[in-house]
Amino acid sequence: MRGTRRTRLCLAGVMAASALIATPTARAAERTDGHLTDLVNPFIGSQNEGNTFPGAAVPFGMVQLSPDTGHSTGYDYTQNRIRGFSLVHLSGVGCRIGGDLPVLPTTGDVTQTDYAKYAAGFSHQNEEASPGYYRVGLDSGIRAELTATERTGVQRFTFPATDKANVLLNASQSLHQATGSTVEILDDHTVRTEITGHGFCRDTGPYTVHTVTRFSRPFTAYGTWAGSKVTAGARTGTGGAYVRFDTTKDRTVEATTALSYVDARGAAVNLRAEGGRSFDTAREQARAQWERRLATARVEGGDPALRRTFYSSLYRSFLAPNIGSDADGRYAGWDRRIHRAERFTYYQNWSLWDTYRTQAQLLALLAPRESRDMAQSVVKVAEDGGWLPKWGYGPVETNIMSGDPVTPFLTTAYQMGLLKGFEERAYRVLRENADGVPPTAYPGIGREANAEYIAHGFAPYDKDRPYAKMGDSDYRHGASVTLEYALADAMLGQMARGLGHDADAARYAARAQNYRNIFDPSTGFFRARDAAGAFTGSADPARGIGFHEGTAWQYQWLVPQDLPGMVGLIGGERAANDRLDTFFAYDRLLADPAKTAREVWVHGDAYNYYNADKYNPMNEPDLIAPYTYLATGQPWKTTDVVHAALTLFTDGPTGMTGNDDLGTMSAWNVLSSIGLFPIQPGYDTWGLSTPVFDRVDLTLDRRFWPGGRLTVTAPGTSAGNRYVQAVHTDGTAHTRTYLTTGALRSLGTLAFTVGPRPSEWGTSPQAAPPVLK
């Protein structure tokens, strides 16, 4: 075995250099100086269904003020007409949501009320964006500029000289399905709206947003519309409003719009708290906030394009979740009542099936104070509304995606020390979620297939079962749901043990082995079972049924709690490595990593999830898979695969791997570039792989990370010099392929020695990540 491994080490060393990392000589003259915000390109991911937005926001802000071009989630780089600049966008979601109150400047008479018809043309040559700022020159001759505070969007319009300079505020059209809206002219500076809508991937319960817009100077005329009828001088309407200015002398108009999910009073409170500043002041403050966030990770080395993709990914990682409470602390709970956040900020928008794998851990590392409030917010969802969320938008549950993602999300917070003071509160609602299902009257489905899972050890696949509630159904994805439930049970068991609930810990640890119950020995893969327990669907693991947005090939590695057990089912370490090599097309990868990533792994568009036997770097189910080699004695292959996947992140509009899903893919890029990855999401295990930068200085919050700083070094790292030869933690040799959170807390330096060929580092059985029992 050792001789075979040595042969493979030598073969892997001949891998062709990719464009991922510049040569050491080129990197020496390229340091990260000046403004880090200048390295961010907000247009990355705005084409080919990356579904990002280029507009203005501050970190975790309630408002994301951005142009809408006609794409279902907001902005598409290939389109050339802007319908309006609206307040709410989610970065990288795959479904229609937000787009509330699109505002567009126009000139002349107001005759159209459909924003698809009055949309303004534009060219990318007249467009720019940076963190907290967006500008575009419209074909109408008007320049629009956007910036934001936490709860307001600030716009500046520069008109031609005219006495008919209009600003249209469209309350009845948005990205989601509007069900009702009102608009009111309050005085010669102010417009108020109330907008109710629903939507997302499938229909959701309605939610309401309230806005108040204050203009920098009085308007000379105004009107409202209902349907297609425009009424000049009317103060109220149901469709929208226009306000008019004379710009023959003063061509500039500024407007600040405050948003609240609570009520009109909340919007007014937010406007008083954060309005009143000039556009330029708001822009500079937004830029300063982003500079502070980006400065938590300072990198040295790498070519300019690599640094741009890194900082752009770091930027997107800080866009969500979003503030949900108003400046006075009030927020809209899931019980349709108003609550007040005491001594914490309430957050909302929970793409948990995505973010529990990467972004939750990155934020816990670099934004622990906010992460603590986010965890407390999720607990409050259960305490206020009756159950933990699955995929929450604003104050409503969407039930999108499947499994039990909230458990590893919250146990990550526990393992990172973010739940101190409310551990038992969090555990109580986690235990309730893990052992039951929500009441029939509650809109959420929770662990919908829990009764069968607990009784029989697997979630059955039942494609004909009627949807019990809005959103997805766990019964439609029985195979992957079993794996997700088992992962969640493993992580909750570790939390239970840490809190002294030993009986619960043993029970959850036993349930964490339920992944074995869907393993089909005849195929050697996981497979869906029907309610009677029979394996069902195609025996071909690339075409089986019951896996959510993936195949049995991709889900086979989603057993981070017990990789040795899964490897044993496959047939042992050698069989597992052979299967991993097939899965990643490893031989082709050695010859041309970038081409293999783009032409073998990526097959079709961002939504092409099925009928594949290869790694899918565009979606979440197998994000952890490249790190499986850390447990099978071939850690150098993790570096090969990870670095090939990193080539998919580029610094142009197409530079995302599928939907970003509120920072999930971006966080994968950031963590993998640093060389630290959460290989057991929900626990405290960080896998190690070669960083792509010579040096990364992480500035950490001393309230949560006593050292306040962690420096990761890999001098000379490059495409041809990428294999770990040794790892040292504060100068002491470290031979394992992982670190624990506890170890990270005590470290000041994590040093990688790299070379042109794989070494024996991390190849012993003792080096593998732990099994969670």
Side-chain angles (χ1 to χ4, degrees):
M1 184 66 179
R2 183 66 60 186
T4 300
R5 177 169 293 153
R6 176 68 68 182
T7 300
R8 291 194 177 205
L9 294 175
C10 294
L11 288 173
V14 303
M15 182 174 178
S18 74
L20 176 64
I21 306 175
T23 64
T25 301
R27 287 199 316 271
E30 298 284 352
R31 295 177 61 93
T32 301
D33 296 313
H35 293 293
L36 295 176
T37 50
D38 293 338
L39 297 175
V40 174
N41 179 4
F43 291 105
I44 293 175
S46 62
Q47 188 175 334
N48 290 356
E49 302 301 331
N51 296 350
T52 59
F53 64 86
V58 297
F60 312 121
M62 181 186 290
V63 168
Q64 308 86 37
L65 185 59
S66 189
D68 296 325
T69 62
H71 188 273
S72 62
T73 64
Y75 183 92
D76 183 342
Y77 196 82
T78 65
Q79 297 175 346
N80 60 8
R81 290 175 65 80
I82 291 175
R83 299 180 175 189
F85 307 101
S86 64
L87 291 173
V88 179
H89 299 83
L90 298 185
S91 183
V93 295
C95 300
R96 184 184 301 272
I97 199 70
D100 299 288
L101 194 64
V103 172
L104 191 72
T106 68
T107 58
D109 293 327
V110 178
T111 59
Q112 294 283 356
T113 62
D114 180 352
Y115 67 178
K117 293 180 179 179
Y118 66 65
F122 76 103
S123 167
H124 293 307
Q125 282 71 35
N126 296 321
E127 186 182 39
E128 69 171 271
S130 61
Y133 178 72
Y134 173 87
R135 178 195 61 79
V136 65
L138 303 175
D139 292 350
S140 60
I142 302 169
R143 183 176 68 203
E145 297 173 274
L146 315 178
T147 190
T149 70
E150 289 180 338
R151 298 173 180 88
T152 76
V154 188
Q155 306 183 60
R156 179 164 65 191
F157 305 124
T158 304
F159 290 91
T162 177
D163 61 356
K164 290 185 177 181
N166 312 306
V167 178
L168 278 57
L169 299 92
N170 193 329
S172 61
Q173 290 184 289
S174 56
L175 300 175
H176 61 73
Q177 302 170 21
T179 59
S181 59
T182 61
V183 60
E184 182 179 4
I185 309 292
L186 296 182
D187 55 41
D188 64 358
H189 283 76
T190 315
V191 181
R192 182 169 65 196
T193 72
E194 179 179 301
I195 302 167
T196 299
H198 62 99
F200 207 55
C201 298
R202 297 183 179 87
D203 201 10
T204 64
Y207 64 93
T208 300
V209 295
H210 304 265
T211 78
V212 58
T213 302
R214 182 79 172 171
F215 288 88
S216 58
R217 57 189 175 109
F219 27 84
T220 58
Y222 56 84
T224 65
W225 67 81
S228 60
K229 182 180 180 181
V230 181
T231 304
R235 286 186 173 272
T236 61
T238 58
Y242 72 89
V243 295
R244 179 166 292 163
F245 301 89
D246 185 337
T247 59
T248 54
K249 294 181 179 180
D250 182 355
R251 296 175 56 194
T252 301
V253 175
E254 295 187 6
T256 301
T257 302
L259 174 67
S260 172
Y261 288 82
V262 177
D263 52 23
R265 172 190 156 198
V269 166
N270 293 339
L271 185 63
R272 285 196 300 271
E274 300 180 18
R277 63 196 78 180
S278 70
F279 181 92
D280 288 331
T281 297
R283 178 187 177 185
E284 287 305 311
Q285 290 175 346
R287 179 177 174 132
Q289 288 187 57
W290 280 114
E291 284 291 336
R292 288 193 295 271
R293 288 291 173 187
L294 298 175
T296 56
R298 289 192 173 272
V299 304
E300 295 181 15
D303 65 19
L306 184 62
R307 292 198 302 280
R308 286 194 295 270
T309 61
F310 177 85
Y311 278 107
S312 298
S313 291
L314 188 60
Y315 160 76
R316 292 189 299 271
S317 299
F318 289 131
L319 287 171
N322 304 105
I323 292 171
S325 52
D326 291 335
D328 61 3
R330 295 185 309 145
Y331 65 90
W334 288 33
D335 57 357
R336 307 287 178 177
R337 297 183 179 182
I338 305 306
H339 302 269
R340 188 180 297 273
E342 301 287 350
R343 295 183 297 278
F344 79 103
T345 299
Y346 181 81
Y347 289 88
Q348 58 191 20
N349 299 336
W350 306 107
S351 182
L352 296 171
W353 186 81
D354 310 290
T355 59
Y356 89 79
R357 308 164 198 260
T358 59
Q359 194 226 20
Q361 293 81 1
L362 179 63
L363 295 188
L365 186 67
L366 297 183
R369 180 176 60 83
E370 292 81 3
S371 292
R372 174 180 168 83
D373 285 359
M374 291 169 188
Q376 189 167 351
S377 300
V378 168
V379 173
K380 288 295 291 181
V381 167
E383 293 178 338
D384 294 342
W387 211 263
L388 286 170
K390 179 164 282 191
W391 208 124
Y393 177 72
V396 299
E397 173 66 87
T398 72
N399 289 320
I400 293 304
M401 305 314 297
S402 56
D404 179 16
V406 71
T407 292
F409 173 83
L410 281 176
T411 61
T412 289
Y414 168 74
Q415 298 293 345
M416 299 289 279
L418 304 181
L419 300 188
K420 290 181 179 178
F422 62 103
E423 300 101 318
E424 290 293 346
R425 285 172 50 202
Y427 181 74
R428 179 184 63 79
V429 294
L430 281 167
R431 187 177 187 273
E432 180 181 46
N433 175 73
D435 292 344
V437 294
T440 302
Y442 185 73
I445 62 173
R447 289 170 61 143
E448 185 185 18
N450 221 13
E452 296 90 338
Y453 171 81
I454 293 172
H456 307 299
F458 65 92
Y461 170 73
D462 185 354
K463 70 178 178 64
D464 297 320
R465 188 183 183 105
Y467 287 102
K469 301 174 183 178
M470 60 190 176
D472 283 308
S473 169
D474 282 0
Y475 291 104
R476 304 290 178 107
H477 314 287
S480 59
V481 161
T482 299
L483 296 173
E484 300 264 13
Y485 286 5
L487 184 157
D489 284 338
M491 304 311 163
L492 185 54
Q494 294 300 313
M495 181 178 179
R497 180 166 290 111
L499 293 175
H501 302 296
D502 294 338
D504 283 354
R507 182 163 56 89
Y508 293 131
R511 278 169 33 179
Q513 292 293 305
N514 281 345
Y515 74 89
R516 296 173 177 270
N517 296 330
I518 61 165
F519 184 78
D520 182 359
S522 69
T523 65
F525 285 85
F526 296 125
R527 195 173 172 196
R529 296 174 67 174
D530 62 22
F535 289 112
T536 184
S538 173
D540 182 347
R543 290 171 173 78
I545 56 178
F547 295 91
H548 203 166
E549 296 188 358
T551 69
W553 270 99
Q554 292 155 357
Y555 271 96
Q556 67 187 313
W557 317 111
L558 194 62
V559 192
Q561 70 270 26
D562 184 21
L563 281 176
M566 185 272 291
V567 167
L569 292 176
I570 290 175
E573 189 176 279
R574 181 171 182 176
N577 281 323
D578 288 345
R579 186 175 292 184
L580 283 164
D581 290 350
T582 299
F583 180 60
F584 292 114
Y586 187 71
D587 288 344
R588 296 176 68 174
L589 187 72
L590 290 178
D592 193 332
K595 183 177 181 180
T596 301
R598 291 202 172 273
E599 298 183 7
V600 180
W601 294 351
V602 175
H603 63 290
D605 62 30
Y607 303 109
N608 194 347
Y609 306 122
Y610 301 104
N611 302 322
D613 64 354
K614 293 295 184 287
Y615 175 51
N616 181 6
M618 301 174 70
N619 205 30
E620 282 76 11
D622 52 0
L623 286 181
I624 310 171
Y627 295 88
T628 305
Y629 285 117
L630 300 182
T632 61
Q634 297 185 337
W636 69 90
K637 291 183 178 179
T638 286
T639 292
D640 289 337
V641 173
V642 167
H643 284 208
L646 288 171
T647 66
L648 295 170
F649 292 85
T650 64
D651 61 350
T654 62
M656 279 295 305
T657 56
N659 303 154
D660 196 29
D661 290 319
L662 274 69
T664 300
M665 296 300 184
S666 292
W668 189 94
N669 182 22
V670 171
L671 291 164
S672 295
S673 296
I674 292 172
L676 281 170
F677 192 85
I679 56 176
Q680 292 179 316
Y683 196 52
D684 68 346
T685 312
W686 300 79
L688 303 178
S689 65
T690 307
V692 301
F693 298 107
D694 287 331
R695 178 178 176 132
V696 182
D697 288 299
L698 302 178
T699 300
L700 307 175
D701 190 328
R702 291 183 182 274
R703 290 169 292 183
F704 300 91
W705 297 88
R709 193 174 190 85
L710 174 64
T711 298
V712 182
T713 58
T717 183
S718 68
N721 203 47
R722 69 184 178 279
Y723 294 111
V724 178
Q725 308 297 302
V727 174
H728 288 82
T729 55
D730 285 342
T732 301
H734 182 83
T735 58
R736 294 183 176 179
T737 58
Y738 69 95
L739 284 167
T740 66
T741 298
L744 278 178
R745 287 188 191 283
S746 65
L747 287 185
T749 61
L750 173 62
F752 292 82
T753 302
V754 296
R757 294 179 178 80
S759 71
E760 294 290 335
W761 176 84
T763 59
S764 72
Q766 295 76 26
V771 175
L772 306 186
K773 298 180 179 179

